């Protein structure tokens, strides 16, 4: 059950070894017009040579700020306002600009979060790696070039020699992250700070890269300070955990101990909400009692919800509400010159969805899963094949027929920041579908808006607010309320919870499950996250390169995956092998 | 509860009093709700530059509309050659032009021509640019290709160069014709900006959501796309008002803008060039009036841009 | 890159024909007698009118007129001035002077503008930044011809540091003051553009990563911040050539320089319509070609453009 890296015994680091990094009472603040706003408030942590320590927290917990303050990478207005950062006994907060420059890269490497924005688009890959090697005096001249190739090869780019002159936009996300890891490790630093190094990547790529990183750091004896929002990932990759919340450390210690026996209520929440493989489908029991609100307050996926078995799954198969048959979607892509290339985004896909159930379509980026959603929503036209909704072919729908269809099938999109018009108040946003379909009088629409806000557990006053004033989770609730306004039969949820912090994600999943039971909704759930699939779906279709390679009930797929690709996906779920203390 | 330990890696749990756990994702109801425009206003209102430029602009517009309120001296009658290039004296604070007319009176009466050209040209290019840019960006296809290529052609002729050619063959020269001529060559800039902004707004999720909700295409353009794409156009329009005024004065200075019978700052500056050695006031005062007007619009444009810039908003 | 260059050249062709057609159309198909309008209040001798009519083929249909004009262009026939001299002759003597002036102005506005903009962007909110912003706003709001008069008066006449007017062969040294006048407005725009771009790039993720690599501050600023900030500045230079041409008309007029701008200036003020039209048509062609070069430079600076389909 335990992983080799975690096996590295804890007792090894007793008082006889000097810690590599010690952060004591660190305070960091950001200067604003209203004075200094604290972001990190008294953080302590200790890291020994060769050890891996993970800081876990949600967005805004101060985890990245803590990491950045170590080598003075804080953005413009940020400042260390108190405490010490001792690296090999030297306080880094007191160093001059010149001295800290010697530490950066040389003694402490850094791997940033987003591979898309962290390489300079106007310089070649080779230039950007070589620059780091020269700056840290690892090698000069011709040797630097050879070393560059070596660094990139070690980072997993086997054809590095041929690709030195290429530019970042010619590399995939995973490749760029390998380049960044290569840069971070190029001078064999004693400490590597890895700030969410894989959160922008697909799970299978993420696994490969993290495995590779673990091997390299073990070979070099590098300590790793790992920043992540994913408790499962943290536990799998680090011996030591530091859980941060609102700028403070709420709990720290050996990973296994914390997972098995979380003490602080916040850690308990996190552990409970982590969608591990052990959890079963959330079954929303119709509860009108007070336990309902209790769940929201706790935000975790309550185990009592998980218990009821789904009778529906065993009931006689009813007629499909949605039936997708041999559907393909071909895009024409303009290449250099006047040639065009055909891209089969969706290739001969068939599946059915029964009323009142949840079907998940799972796949990595580029698998065609979102295109399926757009085809079903009639946002893109089908190239060949048919999609029937309630016995009617949707491809030919026009005018009022199409409107009628739109009333019954509603979307919720991934990006809670992009799917609401920033110029529209929440009330107007939710009322928009009612207005478009000319439902009710102005007064009736107002009443319906209040009703919907209540359904998604937001106070009535929310209707006067604008999207920029709301959090991601709150915006996603608004998007759900808008989708529900016309009392649809089907919701197409395109990565609807992927951008949210884990606790908020759990809360929204609970809400969706409840709404399904209450309103008899049918869900098509598009996601890349298999762990979430198990919580909500009855059936799963696994997509790869435009095709459905495996389709079965959720339990079948998870307990008995037939395709190797599905097995890989399952194995790549971080923390999948852990027993979470519940 | 374990004590706070520095150098240890044992299981540490923060005291609950220190780290209370808040409810997840609770809406902060204490803050006042504000739209993006209200937000922009809120930030503009705090800037002294905004008030300075606004007050100046209002003043300039009032002068343009009611020049008689500001002087009782006639700008072009009763000019005595005896006063030619004379300095300031009581009743004529800024002195006299070469023709012996009152500089101050000409300054006041010249406002109208410059402001008319600036406002009219800005209004024209903004309306034309917004409509053409929005339609081209939103509907795309052949319309977009045609409009974009046409825009490229007009864009290839620098505004004032084109205006010089066109003005030199036009039989009538009034502030309206000057504004028209400038707009003919200046609309592609606004149209390009609008098209770009519309393209990015069009591909946003909220537009896709509206399509899926069943809102009609044209209504989406009016309700969602245009309101979200208009901010950069407003900024450019404010700034271009100033550049149109400069362009008019350049044309008048070259002698092909407004005819000498129309009082304008550009004409007066052009005529004063021969007297700059003996009486610099005849050149400097109208130049100062012109620059102050342009400066007001530039400053306003800066403030508006800062207020509408999403990046600046995020930093606040 | 080759593909990109080919595409840009292909795209330039319709613009070239469109722009020349537009100018031709404006002059010769507006209602009324274009010849009379071109000469304004001073009707020329009947012989001149006949000559112009013949030259512009006004007796033929409009579209034929245009193509005859374009055909002439390709054979080096740029039209005729008011006095009957071929435009190409005047161009030959005037163009080098204007090219020198424009080069000086470009060098000045690019170097000084980028330098001041860089310092302002690095010290955003400090006094240098604030004063750079104020000065640039002032420069933009004062018309070029006013700046020209004032500098000519102060430095040329009062202080006597420069010659107030430029002699016939326009040596480099005499062009310094006119070049500064010509560059002033564009300098201000470049300062503002560079400043905004530098301030933006300073917050970019790749700049933080560059710092984390252990690079010196100087290297981070030059290699990563400044280099990336040049991309929008170069794009601006293309558009700016247009205002530089207008500025050249005014500046060369004020300093009495015998360049292209000066020729146009005198033709405009004297009401010599045909000269104005011929010269401006040539200037527009230069503008189109120069913009093509700027586009290629832009592609050289930004690999994403270079490799775009």
């Amino acid at each position: 059950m335990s992983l080799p890296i975690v096996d590295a015994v804890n007792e090894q680091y007793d008082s006889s070894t000097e810690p590599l990094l010690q952060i004591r009472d660190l305070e960091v603040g950001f200067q604003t017009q209203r004075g200094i706003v604290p972001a990190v408030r008294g953080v302590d942590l200790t890291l020994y040579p060769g050890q891996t320590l993970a800081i876990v927290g949600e967005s805004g917990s101060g985890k990245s700020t803590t990491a950045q303050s170590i080598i003075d990478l804080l953005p413009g207005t940020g400042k260390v306002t108190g405490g010490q950062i001792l690296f090999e006994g030297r306080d880094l907060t007191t160093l001059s600009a010149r001295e800290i420059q010697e530490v950066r890269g040389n003694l402490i490497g850094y791997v940033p979060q987003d591979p898309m924005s962290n390489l300079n688009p106007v310089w070649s890959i080779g230039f950007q790696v070589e620059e780091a090697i020269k700056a840290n005096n690892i090698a000069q001249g011709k040797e630097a070039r050879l070393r560059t190739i070596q660094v990139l090869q070690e980072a997993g780019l086997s054809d590095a020699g041929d690709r030195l002159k290429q530019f970042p936009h010619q590399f995939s996300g995973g490749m760029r992250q390998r380049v960044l890891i290569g840069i971070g490790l190029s001078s064999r630093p004693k400490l590597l700070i890895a700030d969410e190094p894989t959160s922008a990547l697909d799970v299978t790529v993420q696994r490969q890269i993290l495995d590779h990183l673990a091997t390299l750091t073990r070979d070099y004896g590098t300590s790793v300070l790992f920043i992540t929002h994913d408790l499962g990932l943290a536990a799998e990759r680090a011996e030591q955990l530091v859980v941060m919340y609102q700028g403070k450390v709420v709990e720290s210690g050996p990973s296994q101990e914390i997972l098995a026996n979380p003490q602080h209520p916040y850690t308990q929440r996190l552990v409970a909400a982590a969608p591990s493989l052990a959890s079963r489908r959330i079954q929303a029991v119709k509860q009108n009692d007070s336990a309902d609100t209790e769940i929201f307050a706790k935000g975790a996926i309550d185990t009592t919800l998980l218990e009821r078995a789904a009778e529906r799954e065993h009931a006689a198969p009813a007629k499909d509400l949605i039936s997708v048959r041999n559907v393909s979607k071909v895009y024409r892509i303009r290449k250099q010159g006047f040639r065009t290339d055909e891209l089969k985004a969706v290739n001969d896909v068939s599946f059915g969805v029964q009323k009142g159930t949840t079907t998940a379509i799972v796949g990595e980026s580029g698998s065609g899963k979102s295109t399926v959603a757009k085809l079903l929503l009639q946002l893109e036209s089908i190239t060949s094949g048919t999609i029937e909704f309630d016995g009617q072919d949707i491809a030919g729908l026009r005018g009022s027929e199409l409107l009628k269809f739109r009333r019954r099938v509603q979307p919720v999109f991934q990006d809670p920041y992009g799917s609401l018009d920033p110029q529209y108040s929440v009330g107007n946003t939710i009322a928009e579908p009612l207005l478009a379909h000319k439902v009710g009088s102005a007064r009736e629409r107002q009443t319906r808006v209040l009703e919907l806000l209540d359904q998604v557990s937001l106070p009535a006053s929310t209707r006067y607010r604008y999207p920029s004033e709301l959090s991601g989770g709150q915006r996603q609730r608004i998007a759900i309320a808008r989708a529900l306004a016309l009392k649809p039969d089907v919701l197409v949820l395109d990565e609807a919870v992927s951008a949210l912090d884990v606790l908020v994600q759990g809360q929204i999943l609970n809400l969706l499950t409840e709404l399904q039971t209450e309103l008899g909704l049918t869900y098509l759930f598009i996601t890349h996250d298999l762990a979430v699939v198990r919580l909500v779906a009855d059936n799963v279709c696994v997509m790869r390169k435009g095709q459905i390679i495996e389709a079965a009930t959720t339990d079948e797929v998870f307990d008995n995956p037939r395709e190797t690709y599905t097995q890989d996906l399952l194995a790549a779920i971080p923390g999948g092998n852990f027993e979470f203390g519940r | 509860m374990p004590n706070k330990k520095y150098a240890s890696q044992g299981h540490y749990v923060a005291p609950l009093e220190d780290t209370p756990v808040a409810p997840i994702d609770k809406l902060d109801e204490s803050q006042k709700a504000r739209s993006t425009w209200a937000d922009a206003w809120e930030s503009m209102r705090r800037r002294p530059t905004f008030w300075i430029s606004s007050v100046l602009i209002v003043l300039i517009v009032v002068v343009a509309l009611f020049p008689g309120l500001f002087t009782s001296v006639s700008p072009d009658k009763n000019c005595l050659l005896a006063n030619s290039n004379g300095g300031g004296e009581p009743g004529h604070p800024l002195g006299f032009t070469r023709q012996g007319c009152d500089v101050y009176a000409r300054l006041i009466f010249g406002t109208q021509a410059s402001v008319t050209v600036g406002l009219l040209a800005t209004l024209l290019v903004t309306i034309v640019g917004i409509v053409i840019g929005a339609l081209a960006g939103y509907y795309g296809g052949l319309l977009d290709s045609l409009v974009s290529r046409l825009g490229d052609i007009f864009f290839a002729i620098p505004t004032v160069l084109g205006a010089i050619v066109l003005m030199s063959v036009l039989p009538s020269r009034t502030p309206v014709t000057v504004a028209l001529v400038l707009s003919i060559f200046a609309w592609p800039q606004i149209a390009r900006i609008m098209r770009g902004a519309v393209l990015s707004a069009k591909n946003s999720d909220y537009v896709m959501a509206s399509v899926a909700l069943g809102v009609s295409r044209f209504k989406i353009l009016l309700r969602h796309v245009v309101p979200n794409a208009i901010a950069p156009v407003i900024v450019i329009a404010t700034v271009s008002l100033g550049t149109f005024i400069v362009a008019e004065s350049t044309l008048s200075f070259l002698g092909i803008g407004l005819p000498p019978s129309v009082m304008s700052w550009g004409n007066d500056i052009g005529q004063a060039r021969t007297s700059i050695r003996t009486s610099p006031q005849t050149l400097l005062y109208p130049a100062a009036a012109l620059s102050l007007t342009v400066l007001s619009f530039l400053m306003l444009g800066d403030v508006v841009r800062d207020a509408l810039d999403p990046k600046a908003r995020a930093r606040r | 890159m080759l593909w990109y260059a080919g595409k840009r050249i292909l795209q330039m062709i319709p613009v070239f024909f469109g722009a020349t057609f537009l100018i031709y159309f404006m002059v010769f198909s507006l209602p009324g007698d274009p010849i009379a309008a071109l000469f304004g209040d001073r009707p020329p001798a009947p012989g001149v009118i006949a000559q112009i009519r013949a030259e512009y083929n006004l007796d033929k249909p409009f579209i034929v007129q245009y193509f005859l004009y374009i055909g002439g262009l390709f054979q080096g026939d740029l039209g005729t001035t008011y006095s009957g001299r071929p435009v190409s002759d005047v161009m030959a003597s005037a163009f080098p002077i204007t090219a020198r002036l424009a080069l000086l102005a470009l060098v000045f506005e690019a170097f000084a503008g980028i330098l001041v903009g860089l310092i302002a962007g690095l010290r955003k909110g400090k006094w240098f930044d604030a004063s750079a912003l104020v000065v640039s706003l002032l420069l933009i709001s004062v018309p070029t011809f006013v700046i020209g008069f004032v500098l000519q008066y102060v430095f040329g006449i009062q202080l006597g540091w420069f010659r107030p007017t430029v002699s016939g062969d326009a040596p480099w040294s005499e062009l310094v003051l006119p070049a500064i006048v010509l560059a002033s407005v564009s300098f201000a725009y470049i300062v503002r553009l560079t400043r905004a771009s530098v301030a933006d790039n300073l917050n970019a993720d790749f700049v933080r990563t560059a710092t984390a690599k252990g690079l010196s501050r100087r290297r981070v600023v030059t290699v990563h911040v400044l280099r990336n900030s040049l991309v929008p500045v170069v794009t601006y230079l293309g558009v700016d050539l247009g205002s530089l041409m207008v500025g050249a008309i005014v500046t060369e007029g004020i300093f009495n320089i015998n360049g292209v701008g000066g020729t146009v200036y005198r033709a405009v003020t004297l009401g010599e319509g045909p000269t104005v039209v011929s010269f401006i048509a040539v200037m527009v062609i230069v503008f189109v070609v120069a913009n093509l070069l700027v586009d290629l430079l832009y592609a050289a600076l930004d690999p994403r453009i270079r490799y775009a389909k």
Side-chain angles (χ1 to χ4, degrees), chain A residues 22 24-25 42 44 46-48 51 240 245 248-254 257-258 261 263-266 269 298-299 374 379 403 406 410-411 413 415 418-424 432-433 435-437 459 461-462 464-466 469-471 473-474 482 503-504 507, chain B residues 4-37 39 46 204-216 219-220 222-225 227-231 313 315-316:
Chain A
Q22 266 181 295
R24 291 184 180 177
D25 260 330
D44 295 309
T46 307
L47 176 63
Y48 285 95
Q51 209 179 27
Q240 286 283 323
Y245 176 65
K248 288 184 175 174
V249 173
V250 292
E251 192 159 353
S252 66
E257 207 179 308
I258 289 185
N261 189 18
Q263 296 289 311
H264 196 278
Y266 178 75
R269 263 189 194 176
K298 278 174 71 186
K374 282 180 190 151
L379 294 172
L403 272 187
R406 294 222 184 281
Q410 289 286 310
F413 291 113
D415 179 7
S419 64
L420 304 180
D421 187 335
Q423 315 275 1
Y424 262 46
E432 190 182 19
L435 206 65
H437 291 265
S461 68
T462 318
Y464 302 118
R465 297 192 171 271
Y466 286 83
E469 304 169 280
L470 303 176
S471 73
Q474 288 159 357
R482 174 176 62 182
L503 292 180
V504 181
Q507 219 181 25
Chain B
K4 208 165 188 180
K5 289 181 286 181
Y6 280 130
S8 125
Q9 290 191 324
H11 194 159
Y12 160 78
V13 181
L16 251 182
E17 320 75 272
D18 275 4
T19 51
V21 180
I24 298 166
D25 209 21
K26 195 160 183 301
L27 187 74
D28 179 8
E29 290 187 73
S30 60
Q31 299 252 317
K32 218 176 97 214
R34 257 205 253 125
S35 73
T36 42
W37 295 105
D39 225 23
R46 282 166 218 244
S204 61
D205 278 357
Y206 55 80
V207 166
M208 215 180 349
S210 294
V211 174
L213 291 170
V215 184
S216 81
K219 275 188 186 154
I220 292 176
L222 290 188
R223 286 194 199 151
H224 293 292
V225 177
N228 277 292
I230 206 116
R313 286 166 60 84
R315 280 198 290 273
R316 268 201 303 276

Side-chain angles (χ1 to χ4, degrees), chain A residues 311-375:
Chain A
E311 292 120 32
R312 269 194 315 272
E313 286 168 29
H314 302 290
K319 206 170 174 308
D320 287 342
L321 181 64
I322 302 167
S323 143
V324 176
R325 260 174 282 156
N326 307 104
V327 165
S328 295
K329 173 71 187 176
V330 179
Y331 290 106
R332 290 191 179 282
I333 299 179
R334 274 187 49 198
K335 299 259 292 174
Q336 285 210 347
F338 299 96
R339 288 162 290 147
T340 53
D341 252 15
E342 289 198 340
L343 174 80
K344 270 204 168 163
V346 174
N347 190 0
D348 196 23
V349 160
S350 304
F351 64 91
V353 179
Q354 283 176 24
K355 193 168 166 37
T357 66
T358 300
T359 299
I361 300 186
V362 188
E364 298 187 288
S365 49
S367 62
K369 57 185 192 304
S370 283
T371 311
V372 171
K374 282 180 190 151
L375 293 175

